[in-house]
Amino acid sequence: MLGALVLMLALFVINQMMYSTFSKKHKFFSKKLMNTLFLYHLFFFIVYYTYALFNNSDSRLYYSRPQYGAWGEYFGTSTTFIDFMSWPFINVLGFNYEMMMVLYAWFGYIGFLYAYLFFRENIPIKLKVFKLDFLILVLFLPNMHFWTASLGKGAPIFMGLMMFAYAIKEPKSRWFTLILASVLIYYIRPHVFLFVAAGTVLGYMTGKEKIAFWKKMLIYIGMIGSLIMVQDTILGMAGLDESENLVQGFEDFSEDRGGELAKSGSGVDMVDYPLPVKLFTFWFRPLFFDAPGMLGLIVSVENLIYLLLFIRILKKDFLKFLKKSPVTVKMSLTVFFLASLAMSFVMSNLGIIMRQKSMVMYFLFFVIYYYLAQKKYDRIVMLKKRKNKILKSRELGVS
């Protein structure tokens, strides 16, 4: 455990250097908040590590597998790529299990760091919900930290998604972050890269901003070209690479996958659910009535928060807002909805649902936050106009 403590201190120092860089780029950046968030995330590393000591955890397999082959043998997509990432740390630097857990927990924290940058850079207006600062609330949601604080896919895929969301705003100056994020997303979860690419293209096609033609072309060529290059891998993940009917093939895959996952103790038979119920299940369950164990009860509280936040966009003016919304909002909503749609067809296990949705919920939070902030901004502008009108009428009356 001594090695893990030393690594924590080393990563804390690295964090301070990153904070200094971001503080120069963004005036809003708060080192105090990010240090607090880092300590909070480390607490969930301890919680998950304790949980793994007494329960079956995939993190043990992720640590043992890279020790039995050469580095090049592990290069590939999905689980294999996590082994590829871990190999030099385990076999060259000599990281033990605890140190690898700390390293991947730090990857998860970097995801929260970029989520903070993504939200604050695009939404400068502060907003309160449930008498709490909106951004603080979503940054400190426990379930998000629990599933991104261990050795496995959860931490690096979340890091990749949030890095991508931050970098896509300025692809020219943030090209390295954008490419690194794209590589991580594709090699860890190829199908999620499909959703991200589709969301990005749609966002740039329909966003309200006047974007330079070269920038649009760069995004279109980059995203569409990437999809063409990796289409076989993406289809192969679902066994559709040789299918003559992709729709029927996906339906068969969904039924088979859903049936397998439903066999576990926390399974729910979602195969015959209508689409709205499938989406509701993926987004907001477990709730208190179907929570699997103590962890499920804790997650139910968080799911209730998700539901209450989601209700806030079920307004008549939301579609009008969406039509005029910027690239980041349309991209976020597309990624969230496409990922939810695909995963709701294949996920039939509440435990896996709790883990998987942590990848994409921040895209929903961003849309909700932007919508509520826009409404607040519109109210402020309207009140200022009324105030100026009253002042002008008074001035005319005096004169």
Side-chain angles (χ1 to χ4, degrees), residues 42 80 88 111 163 172 191 209 251 268 287 303 368 370 395:
L42 285 181
T80 306
M163 288 173 68
K172 185 178 180 180
H191 57 289
E209 301 97 329
E251 289 178 352
V268 287
L287 287 170
N303 283 338
I368 296 171
Y370 204 108
E395 289 173 359

Side-chain angles (χ1 to χ4, degrees), residues 96-113:
N96 58 28
Y97 172 70
E98 287 77 14
M99 293 175 73
M100 290 301 297
M101 289 284 281
V102 170
L103 178 67
Y104 274 75
W106 182 69
F107 290 158
Y109 167 72
I110 295 301
F112 287 100
L113 170 63

Side-chain angles (χ1 to χ4, degrees), residues 355-389:
R355 184 189 312 174
Q356 293 290 335
K357 69 183 177 185
S358 63
M359 286 191 301
V360 295
M361 290 307 292
Y362 268 76
F363 289 107
L364 174 63
F365 298 152
F366 179 81
V367 174
I368 296 171
Y369 189 6
Y370 204 108
Y371 168 70
L372 296 177
Q374 185 67 56
K375 292 187 72 172
K376 181 179 179 179
Y377 176 77
D378 290 342
R379 286 195 301 269
I380 292 171
V381 171
M382 183 179 67
L383 289 172
K384 282 186 177 180
K385 286 181 178 179
R386 285 182 180 177
K387 186 177 179 181
N388 290 335
K389 190 176 181 180

Side-chain angles (χ1 to χ4, degrees), residues 31 43 56 60 76 79 90 160-161 165 188 205 238 334 377 380 386 389 399:
K31 293 182 180 180
F43 167 74
N56 291 328
R60 293 286 182 182
T79 301
I90 296 172
L161 286 167
I188 297 172
M205 286 175 63
T334 304
Y377 176 77
I380 292 171
R386 285 182 180 177
K389 190 176 181 180
S399 61

Side-chain angles (χ1 to χ4, degrees), residues 47-154:
V47 171
Y48 193 99
Y49 176 70
T50 305
Y51 170 84
L53 290 178
F54 301 99
N55 297 274
N56 291 328
S57 172
D58 291 342
S59 59
R60 293 286 182 182
L61 292 174
Y62 278 114
Y63 178 70
S64 62
R65 274 196 307 263
Q67 301 181 45
Y68 300 106
W71 192 14
E73 295 176 12
Y74 295 99
F75 186 76
T77 56
S78 192
T79 301
T80 306
F81 188 70
I82 302 300
D83 298 335
F84 178 79
M85 286 177 60
S86 301
W87 193 94
F89 293 99
I90 296 172
N91 297 289
V92 179
L93 299 179
F95 278 28
N96 58 28
Y97 172 70
E98 287 77 14
M99 293 175 73
M100 290 301 297
M101 289 284 281
V102 170
L103 178 67
Y104 274 75
W106 182 69
F107 290 158
Y109 167 72
I110 295 301
F112 287 100
L113 170 63
Y114 276 98
Y116 167 70
L117 292 169
F118 173 50
F119 276 67
R120 286 290 282 120
E121 183 180 37
N122 289 282
I123 314 173
I125 295 176
K126 290 189 176 182
L127 189 73
K128 285 195 174 183
V129 290
F130 318 127
K131 298 183 179 181
L132 298 170
D133 183 282
F134 191 109
L135 183 55
I136 299 298
L137 173 66
V138 298
L139 284 177
F140 286 85
L141 288 169
N143 187 53
M144 297 295 180
H145 288 268
F146 183 80
W147 295 114
T148 56
S150 66
L151 174 55
K153 293 179 185 176

Side-chain angles (χ1 to χ4, degrees), residues 242-254:
E242 297 180 0
S243 177
E244 295 180 1
N245 188 330
L246 293 181
V247 175
Q248 183 62 45
F250 178 74
E251 289 178 352
D252 294 341
F253 170 76
S254 300

